[in-house]
């Protein structure tokens, strides 16, 4: 396989990009753009403040988009020159910033205002699967909160569907690693950002309080839709 085709597959396909994109040059590499939020910045209050949401979206997510696109441009130049060393060096920036874009694009969909169903319990097939795999919804919440609070440094805690074994699992990823780095068989249903920028302005260093309150705005309708599509 040609170098540029191999890099394009590893840089983009492995991360699972499904957002607005444009082709970079003639090499099939796709840049990405910052997605709009489906709600106002203050719509998740009091669980998550409007100030946090605006900074998180406009500054942090935008930085991942900007730096990912910049790395792709550099990658195109390195491929054109046949500079294998530069191509390899750029992979970490692509993984980190691309992962940041992928993870946050999922995170925004995992949240919704309480008045629009945020915090409502999962039902139908996902609710049944949670009971089967974890014993109860409360047991799942306790497990995610415990693993999210215990995660050292920055990262994410996920509820995922393991398609190989047809079961739900809880996983954590470090930094901005997307869930696919834990296994191509894992489909993210719910991802909770436990980087400090997701909660510190409101909850200071008390990450468990953030994890406790975020359930009030979790969009189980979205997670259930992904689950039903994947098991169909």
């Amino acid at each position: 396989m040609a170098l540029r085709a191999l890099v394009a597959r590893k840089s983009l396909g492995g991360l699972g990009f499904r957002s607005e994109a444009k082709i970079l040059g003639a090499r099939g590499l796709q840049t990405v753009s910052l997605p709009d939020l489906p709600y106002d910045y203050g719509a998740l209050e009091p669980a998550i403040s409007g100030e946090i949401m605006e900074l998180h979206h406009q500054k942090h997510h935008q930085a991942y988009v900007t730096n990912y696109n910049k790395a792709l441009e550099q990658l195109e130049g390195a491929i054109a020159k046949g500079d294998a060393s530069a191509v390899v060096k750029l992979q970490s920036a692509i993984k980190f910033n691309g992962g940041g874009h992928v993870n946050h694009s999922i995170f925004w969909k995992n949240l919704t205002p309480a008045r629009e169903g945020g915090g409502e319990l999962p039902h139908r097939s996902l609710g049944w699967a949670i009971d089967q795999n974890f014993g109860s919804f409360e047991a799942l919440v306790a497990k995610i909160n415990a693993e999210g609070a215990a995660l050292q440094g920055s990262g994410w805690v996920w509820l995922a569907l393991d398609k190989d074994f047809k079961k739900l699992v809880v996983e954590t990823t470090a930094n901005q690693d997307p869930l696919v780095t834990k296994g191509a068989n894992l489909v993210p249903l719910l991802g909770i950002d436990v980087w400090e920028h997701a909660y510190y302005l409101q909850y200071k260093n008390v990450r468990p309080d953030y994890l406790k309150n975020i359930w009030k705005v979790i969009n189980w309708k979205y997670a259930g839709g992904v689950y039903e599509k994947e098991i169909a």
Side-chain angles (χ1 to χ4, degrees), residues 15-90:
L15 291 177
F17 283 88
R18 296 179 182 177
S19 62
E20 301 86 353
K22 64 180 181 179
I23 302 299
L24 183 66
R27 304 186 186 281
L29 303 181
Q30 294 181 329
T31 59
V32 299
S33 59
L34 183 70
D36 293 331
L37 293 187
Y39 38 76
D40 294 335
Y41 290 127
L44 304 181
E45 292 183 343
I48 306 177
S49 73
E51 182 183 16
I52 286 178
M53 290 300 297
E54 184 172 6
L55 287 170
H56 201 168
H57 179 253
Q58 287 290 327
K59 300 299 183 182
H60 293 280
H61 191 169
Q62 180 63 65
Y64 297 127
V65 168
T66 299
N67 291 329
Y68 176 79
N69 290 340
K70 179 181 178 181
L72 279 194
E73 291 178 0
Q74 294 172 337
L75 178 63
E76 184 185 37
I79 293 172
K81 296 175 183 177
D83 187 345
S85 178
V87 167
V88 171
K89 185 177 180 179
L90 285 164

Side-chain angles (χ1 to χ4, degrees), residues 121-199:
L121 297 180
H123 59 284
R124 301 199 302 187
S125 56
L126 179 56
W128 178 85
I130 289 172
D131 288 343
Q132 289 293 308
N133 287 272
F134 301 101
S136 68
F137 174 74
E138 292 74 17
L140 169 65
V141 170
K143 181 175 179 61
I144 289 178
N145 285 357
E147 297 204 16
L151 184 64
Q152 294 184 347
S154 302
W156 293 74
V157 57
W158 302 91
L159 172 65
L161 170 64
D162 185 326
K163 294 191 71 173
D164 287 352
F165 295 96
K166 310 290 186 187
K167 69 175 184 178
L168 300 178
V169 296
V170 172
E171 293 280 355
T172 59
T173 54
N175 299 313
Q176 290 299 347
D177 288 358
L179 185 61
V180 71
T181 60
K182 285 292 186 78
N185 56 309
L186 297 176
V187 177
L189 305 178
L190 170 66
I192 297 179
D193 189 347
V194 293
W195 279 66
E196 286 187 345
H197 64 236
Y199 63 86

